[in-house]
Amino acid sequence: MCRDKHAMMSTKPRGQDYSYQGPVDPMELGLELEDESLHGSLSQEEDMDMVPFGGSSEVRDVRRRRFFLVHFPSVGLILTSLAALAIGALIGTFASGTRGGGMGVDTDTPGDASAPVELPPNLAPGRSFDGAAGNATSAHPALSDLVQNGEIVGDVDWELDFAIVGFPKCGTSYLMRYLALGEELYLNDHELCTLTFNDPVNLAKMYYDIDRVTEDGRRRVKVGLKCPKDFESDFGLQHYSQYWPTTDFVITTRHPVSWFQSFYNYRSYQHYPLRMPDPLDLIGECRDNHPGRICAHKITPKEECTKQNVCTDRSNFHYALSRFQKTPMNTTRELELLKGRTMDTMGGLKGRVFIMEVGQLALEGDAADRFTRDLSDYLGMEKPLPPFPGHTSGNEYEVEERRQDFMNICEDRYIPIRTELLKGGGAAAEWIRDYFLESDEVHVSQKEMFLDMIAKWSIDPCDNVEAL
């Protein structure tokens, strides 16, 4: 079970209402938007008129109100105060005995509506979950005690339980939306990359007021986020290590050849009418002289970011995974697989890692049930996740004009790209099998099945087009 590191909880409503729509092909599960043109808070799929997984006008209204209050807090505070005064004038003394102090937040313990909680002056109204008592109690420190003068000065590690941090086009958005169906989980409903964009204060503020108690008041809600570039960027893991060191991670992977084609075509479609470089020019590193690192908009020098983070080097998944420091890195073979990249690791990360292959999101029957149970246990859930929802067909790339530069990686002219990807895939699979999975802090569901999947990373799927 996941460690219960949260001593302090909040009462703000989560406001999530998802109707699930997933893709048909497991190889097209990676629908995340990894957009360097947006500064970490919102991705393009969080457009105020776009509702992931279906949704309704009510959900859109909730998002508009939340966006407004988060990004324009002073105006939101005025409106909230005026609303509180109006309600107070109508309710009067009827509210006494059922509310604690400040902003009308319910601080009563469940089952006793006549027992208001007296809060110390340095604590904000809110609840925490007392596992021994089995109910909601107490409050967390005031935000002003955690963030001062644009810097994090207090302990915010309690804010975040887990993070889906990679890799892009490997099903991270599918996984984010699926996990949001769990009663004991909260995830932001869009990609949130404030750490990659060197803005930890923004995350600390945004995640301060999230509801961390289930609706029945009897279970703790585990809070997470999704950013599929946090552990490949310059600042992502640095901020986890400094401010959220006990966060657990979820990593999704995929066959490097299908990953490259999917990512290249996605970028080509996303940035139209701008043209992507020729795929053959993307052999090698994403950033010159920065192996294993990617660019972040407005953070990385522009001259280093000409490939839209699409490159064959990025398919060496073990380079980024090694940064978690879960392996010894003291044998000749491991150093050969990593090409000596031991100086890029990040100390201070105490969380665990759950690694998976995107094919596991398409499992059915007993295998799917086992996977959801294992993931539920990893996240520390008392009530397991629901079964994978049924997939419905959809077209990710509807505008034909924007598809004009799409690549078919099985064409003979792309043999040099496939050769490089298969070489990296074989090295990544060996390192994961022989070193990464040996760590007690690395978890996987149905290990033998997972190993069978990653063993194919060194086999060209173009010899069997149906496997691509």
Side-chain angles (χ1 to χ4, degrees), residues 78-99:
I78 293 172
L79 294 177
T80 304
S81 300
L82 290 174
L85 289 173
I87 293 172
L90 292 173
I91 296 177
T93 59
F94 289 100
S96 63
T98 61
R99 295 280 175 182

Side-chain angles (χ1 to χ4, degrees), residues 392-465:
T392 59
S393 61
N395 188 352
E396 186 181 1
Y397 305 118
E398 296 179 348
V399 181
E400 182 177 357
E401 185 179 18
R402 299 171 71 98
R403 302 196 303 263
Q404 60 180 289
D405 290 334
F406 276 21
M407 70 177 299
N408 176 0
I409 200 168
C410 288
E411 293 179 5
D412 287 347
R413 65 193 186 103
Y414 295 133
I415 288 177
I417 295 177
R418 299 204 305 273
T419 300
E420 194 70 19
L421 294 170
L422 295 173
K423 182 171 63 176
E430 180 182 343
W431 181 85
I432 291 171
R433 180 194 66 211
D434 294 345
Y435 300 99
F436 199 53
L437 293 183
E438 291 299 304
S439 170
D440 292 337
E441 296 178 349
V442 176
H443 298 249
V444 65
S445 176
Q446 301 165 95
K447 182 176 179 180
E448 293 306 316
M449 177 187 295
F450 173 81
L451 290 176
D452 286 343
M453 290 179 175
I454 68 173
K456 296 180 175 65
W457 289 358
S458 60
I459 301 173
D460 191 347
C462 293
D463 294 336
N464 178 12
V465 178

Side-chain angles (χ1 to χ4, degrees), residues 1-6 9 129 131 160-163 179 182-187 212-214 218-224 246-250 352-354 371-385 443:
M1 301 291 284
C2 184
R3 301 174 307 281
D4 191 343
K5 65 184 179 183
H6 292 247
M9 308 300 170
F129 185 79
L160 192 61
D161 288 284
F162 67 96
L179 292 181
E183 293 181 16
E184 300 169 37
L185 300 178
Y186 170 87
L187 288 95
R212 291 178 168 84
V213 180
T214 54
R218 301 295 175 180
R219 289 166 291 159
R220 184 169 74 81
V221 169
K222 291 77 178 175
V223 177
T246 63
T247 298
D248 290 323
F249 298 97
V250 179
R352 305 164 301 158
V353 177
F354 185 97
F371 179 84
T372 57
R373 288 198 305 271
D374 289 344
L375 184 55
S376 299
D377 289 344
Y378 174 77
L379 296 173
M381 301 174 66
E382 294 183 27
K383 183 178 180 180
L385 287 161
H443 298 249

Side-chain angles (χ1 to χ4, degrees), residues 139-153:
H140 55 67
L143 182 59
S144 60
D145 291 336
L146 302 177
V147 178
Q148 297 176 4
N149 300 319
E151 294 185 1
I152 297 175
V153 297

Side-chain angles (χ1 to χ4, degrees), residues 5-9 140-148 151-162 195 199-210 212 223 225 238-247:
K5 65 184 179 183
H6 292 247
M8 307 300 177
M9 308 300 170
H140 55 67
L143 182 59
S144 60
D145 291 336
L146 302 177
V147 178
Q148 297 176 4
E151 294 185 1
I152 297 175
V153 297
D155 180 10
V156 296
D157 190 30
W158 57 269
E159 288 187 320
L160 192 61
D161 288 284
F162 67 96
L195 302 187
D199 191 4
V201 171
N202 191 19
L203 181 62
K205 291 179 177 179
M206 291 179 69
Y207 269 37
Y208 177 78
D209 279 332
I210 292 172
R212 291 178 168 84
V223 177
L225 61 79
Q238 174 182 322
H239 292 312
Y240 281 110
S241 175
Q242 185 172 358
Y243 301 115
W244 294 275
T246 63
T247 298

Side-chain angles (χ1 to χ4, degrees), residues 57-170:
S57 60
E58 289 80 10
V59 181
R60 287 193 290 270
D61 289 340
V62 168
R63 292 184 184 172
R64 291 189 180 99
R65 290 194 295 271
R66 182 174 61 197
F67 177 82
F68 185 78
L69 292 174
V70 167
H71 293 273
F72 302 95
S74 59
V75 179
L77 180 60
I78 293 172
L79 294 177
T80 304
S81 300
L82 290 174
L85 289 173
I87 293 172
L90 292 173
I91 296 177
T93 59
F94 289 100
S96 63
T98 61
R99 295 280 175 182
M103 297 301 289
V105 178
D106 191 348
T107 58
D108 297 349
T109 55
D112 186 0
S114 62
V117 177
E118 293 185 6
L119 298 175
N122 66 326
L123 293 182
R127 299 179 299 178
S128 67
F129 185 79
D130 186 336
N135 57 24
T137 62
S138 191
H140 55 67
L143 182 59
S144 60
D145 291 336
L146 302 177
V147 178
Q148 297 176 4
N149 300 319
E151 294 185 1
I152 297 175
V153 297
D155 180 10
V156 296
D157 190 30
W158 57 269
E159 288 187 320
L160 192 61
D161 288 284
F162 67 96
I164 304 170
V165 293
F167 288 89
K169 304 309 294 178
C170 291

